[in-house]
């Protein structure tokens, strides 16, 4: 027995040494996670926390709007109720810093799945780390404290399960069970689960087309059907499809991420090109799950650029697995100690950029959101006319103040959002737009702020470098 332990010890040491470079590759995502955690910029995050708090307090999911005076009592369907509750739980423990750390953990989970898939494909840790580093500037704007983080994790996890299914490392029945359970969890965290159903269906179709993989294809088709049924395990049931279409219709033309793919935008173009390179590699290597996921994500990206990060993240493991030329591999093997030192030095510098963010975890972006002195100055119960971005922040900080607008486009509809935002720019009939409002909170440099400056019917209540509060005189 002692001799067996002695034999196993070198094997464990060897495994640890082999895993160490992959750990460094994964740590490339840490500065990105810290940068996102150090500053919250997304307006959705704040009203989602408040919604989760209301859900926990009332032990029921709100079915009508409780936060605004312009849509008060109107029907409202949440597409991420469970994610809102999770955010609220973190907020209850340690406020916004806990929310930021939770989402940073999700970002690290995304990086872990990318690195693991790259390793499964036979990639090199340096390639995986380099792929994550190059993609970081393209992805960082999408990696905000939002339920979309769940989508990125779910798609990568789905590809991982399908990859193991097609390579015979997991029993088909087990894979179907796991995928079905994933769908139920996913749909309640975020209603984008239909993306996963589409990927499963595409994978099933590709497998059935090939005779030697046809049996696996039928298993995958069963997983598709069960995942679609699992998607109904949400408060809306099969109304999920109409809900998704409603969100799209209310956001297209208003929210940037719902716009079609714009090849004239360099960031979008680079993400799409890298995704297409990944798709070519997947086809060449006959990695059916990757082909299915990349095809669905690419088609979705053309319609709405919000799927570009999904396309890029699925492509990264394939890009990281590209074999280096023989001469380069031989040179790297002969300079392992030097490379290890260089990579460690690079990681230390990369982390030094982001570590200062730990001094202000969960800070609302000071270039977007006003100071506490502004929100505290809003009179209690005052019907507030506000800009699109500031609505979510007020909902969290001052739940006693009903807002005119926030980023729940599916609740307000395109017409109201466009009308109110035009008024913030100082356009249109301002008296009509402000009818019923008792306070106004808008960006300091907005057209409406300039218009109210000389209006005797409004008195400046407070101001800082970002926003100004007016109270009806």
């Amino acid at each position: 027995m002692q001799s067996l332990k002695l034999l196993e010890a070198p094997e464990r040491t060897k495994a640890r040494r082999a895993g160490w470079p992959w750990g460094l590759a994964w740590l490339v995502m840490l500065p990105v996670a810290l940068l996102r955690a150090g500053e919250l910029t997304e307006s959705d995050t704040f009203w989602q926390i408040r919604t989760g708090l209301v859900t926990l307090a009332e032990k029921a999911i709100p079915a009508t709007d409780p936060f605004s005076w312009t849509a008060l009592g109107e029907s409202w369907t949440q597409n991420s109720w469970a994610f809102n509750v999770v955010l609220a739980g973190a907020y209850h423990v340690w406020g916004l810093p806990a929310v930021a750390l939770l989402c940073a953990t999700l970002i690290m989970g995304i990086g872990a799945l990318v690195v693991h898939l790259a390793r499964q494909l036979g990639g090199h840790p340096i390639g995986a780390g380099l792929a994550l580093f190059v993609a970081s500037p393209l992805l960082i704007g999408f990696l905000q404290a939002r339920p979309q983080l769940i989508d990125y994790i779910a798609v990568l996890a789905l590809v991982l399960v399908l990859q193991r299914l097609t390579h015979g490392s997991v029993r088909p029945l087990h894979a179907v069970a796991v995928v079905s359970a994933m769908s139920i969890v996913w749909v309640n965290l975020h209603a984008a689960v239909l993306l996963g159903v589409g990927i499963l269906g595409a994978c099933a179709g590709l497998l059935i087309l090939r005779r030697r993989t046809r049996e696996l294809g039928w298993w995958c088709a069963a997983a598709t059907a069960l995942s679609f049924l699992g998607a109904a395990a949400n408060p809306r049931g099969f109304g999920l499809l109409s809900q998704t279409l409603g969100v799209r219709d209310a956001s297209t033309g208003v929210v940037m991420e719902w716009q079609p793919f714009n090849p004239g935008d360099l960031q979008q173009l680079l993400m799409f090109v890298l995704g297409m390179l990944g798709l070519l590699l997947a086809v060449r290597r006959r990695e059916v799950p990757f082909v299915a996921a990349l095809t669905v994500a690419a088609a979705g990206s053309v319609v709405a650029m919000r799927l570009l990060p999904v396309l890029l993240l699925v492509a990264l493991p394939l890009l990281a697995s590209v074999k280096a030329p023989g001469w380069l591999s031989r040179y790297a093997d002969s300079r392992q100690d030097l490379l290890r030192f260089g990579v460690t030095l690079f990681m230390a510098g990369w982390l030094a950029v982001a570590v200062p963010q730990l001094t202000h975890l969960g800070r609302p972006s000071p270039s977007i959101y006003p100071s506490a002195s502004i929100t505290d100055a809003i009179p209690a119960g005052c019907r507030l006319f506000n800009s699109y971005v500031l609505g979510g922040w007020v909902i969290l900080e001052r739940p006693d103040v009903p807002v005119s607008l926030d980023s729940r486009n599916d609740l307000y509809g395109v017409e109201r959002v466009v009308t109110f935002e035009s008024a913030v720019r100082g356009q249109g009939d301002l008296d009509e737009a402000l009818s019923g409002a008792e306070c106004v909170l808008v960006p300091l440099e907005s057209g409406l702020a300039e218009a109210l400056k000389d209006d005797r019917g409004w008195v400046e209540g407070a101001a800082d470098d970002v926003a100004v509060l007016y109270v009806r005189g």
Side-chain angles (χ1 to χ4, degrees):
M1 183 64 71
Q2 187 66 28
S3 61
L4 285 175
K5 290 182 178 179
L6 291 174
L7 288 173
E8 290 173 358
E11 291 298 323
R12 288 197 298 269
T13 303
K14 185 177 179 181
R16 282 197 297 270
R17 287 179 178 174
W20 178 78
W22 290 101
L24 275 181
W26 173 61
L27 285 178
V28 170
M29 284 296 284
L30 184 57
V32 177
L34 292 179
L35 286 168
R36 288 278 54 151
E39 195 163 289
L40 299 177
T41 60
E42 179 56 49
S43 180
D44 288 6
T45 306
F46 305 119
W47 66 254
Q48 285 171 340
I49 295 171
R50 177 57 61 189
T51 304
L53 292 171
V54 171
T55 303
L56 290 173
E58 298 183 355
K59 295 181 174 58
I61 303 170
T64 58
D65 171 42
F67 302 131
S68 78
W69 57 274
T70 56
L72 184 65
E74 293 184 19
S75 177
W76 173 42
T77 303
Q78 298 180 47
N79 61 11
S80 59
W81 74 269
F83 184 78
N84 300 345
V85 169
V86 172
L87 289 185
Y91 183 81
H92 184 72
V93 172
W94 190 31
L96 290 176
V99 172
L101 284 175
L102 170 64
C103 293
T105 302
L106 293 176
I107 292 172
M108 293 305 295
I110 293 168
L113 284 167
V114 169
V115 169
H116 183 70
L117 283 167
R119 191 174 186 179
Q120 292 292 308
L121 291 171
H124 192 278
I126 292 180
L130 185 61
L132 284 174
F133 179 74
V134 171
S136 292
L138 302 173
L139 289 169
I140 193 167
F142 295 93
L143 299 177
Q144 303 189 54
R146 305 168 61 196
Q148 279 77 1
L149 295 177
I150 301 297
D151 301 337
Y152 306 151
I153 289 175
V155 169
L156 290 169
L158 180 61
V159 171
L160 177 61
V161 173
L162 292 175
Q163 189 77 354
R164 290 184 173 180
L165 172 65
T166 55
H167 285 261
S169 57
V170 64
R171 293 180 179 179
L173 186 60
H174 290 171
V176 171
V178 169
V179 168
S180 302
M182 280 176 54
S183 297
I184 295 173
V185 175
W186 187 359
V187 73
N188 288 289
L189 289 169
H190 197 212
V193 68
L194 294 177
L195 172 62
V197 176
I199 292 171
L200 283 166
C203 187
L206 291 171
L207 290 172
I208 290 171
L209 286 174
R210 298 172 64 189
R211 179 176 297 179
R212 67 186 185 87
T213 60
R214 190 162 293 165
E215 183 179 350
L216 286 178
W218 291 119
W219 279 106
C220 198
T224 306
L226 289 174
S227 294
F228 181 75
L229 292 175
N234 72 91
R236 278 296 297 272
F238 284 110
L240 174 70
L241 181 58
S242 61
Q243 175 190 340
T244 303
L245 294 174
V247 172
R248 184 203 65 185
D249 294 341
S251 301
T252 303
V254 177
V255 181
M256 179 63 184
E257 66 178 25
W258 281 96
Q259 303 299 313
F261 167 62
N262 177 18
D265 184 295
L266 182 59
Q267 179 185 6
Q268 294 184 42
L269 181 62
L270 286 173
M271 295 175 79
F272 193 80
V273 168
L274 289 173
M276 290 300 94
L277 287 175
L279 179 57
L280 289 175
L281 289 169
V283 171
R284 183 179 179 182
R285 296 180 56 158
R286 296 183 179 179
E287 299 289 355
V288 175
F290 280 94
V291 174
L294 289 168
T295 301
V296 171
S301 299
V302 173
V303 178
M305 54 87 65
R306 70 198 309 263
L307 287 182
L308 282 173
V310 175
L311 177 67
L312 179 55
L313 284 168
V314 176
L316 286 181
L318 290 155
L319 297 174
S321 66
V322 174
K323 298 295 183 184
W327 63 269
L328 184 59
S329 298
R330 289 190 294 273
Y331 178 81
D333 290 339
S334 66
R335 299 290 189 275
Q336 284 191 12
D337 292 339
L338 180 63
L339 283 173
R340 188 178 293 114
F341 174 76
V343 170
T344 304
L345 191 64
F346 165 76
M347 283 302 306
W350 183 223
L351 286 170
V353 173
V355 166
Q357 302 298 316
L358 293 172
T359 61
H360 48 76
L361 278 175
R363 177 183 65 175
S365 176
S367 63
I368 300 175
Y369 300 103
S371 60
S373 62
I374 305 295
T375 49
D376 290 345
I378 304 174
C382 181
R383 290 196 300 271
L384 183 70
F385 184 92
N386 56 274
S387 61
Y388 180 91
V389 172
L390 298 183
W393 174 240
V394 174
I395 287 172
L396 176 61
E397 290 295 295
R398 291 293 306 274
D400 61 308
V401 174
V403 300
S404 61
L405 180 69
D406 55 82
S407 53
R408 294 173 294 162
N409 306 299
D410 53 325
L411 170 66
Y412 297 100
V414 175
E415 185 177 349
R416 259 189 291 202
V417 173
V418 172
T419 299
F420 289 168
E421 282 299 277
S422 295
V424 172
R425 293 192 295 271
Q427 302 168 352
D429 189 336
L430 298 185
D431 289 334
E432 182 180 351
L434 298 179
S435 176
E438 300 164 334
C439 307
V440 170
L441 179 64
V442 289
L444 185 64
E445 304 298 328
S446 65
L448 182 56
E450 290 296 317
L452 296 184
K453 185 185 298 183
D454 301 321
D455 191 323
R456 295 183 180 180
W458 295 89
V459 178
E460 183 178 309
D464 61 10
D465 295 336
V466 174
V468 59
L469 171 69
Y470 287 99
V471 180
R472 193 180 289 275

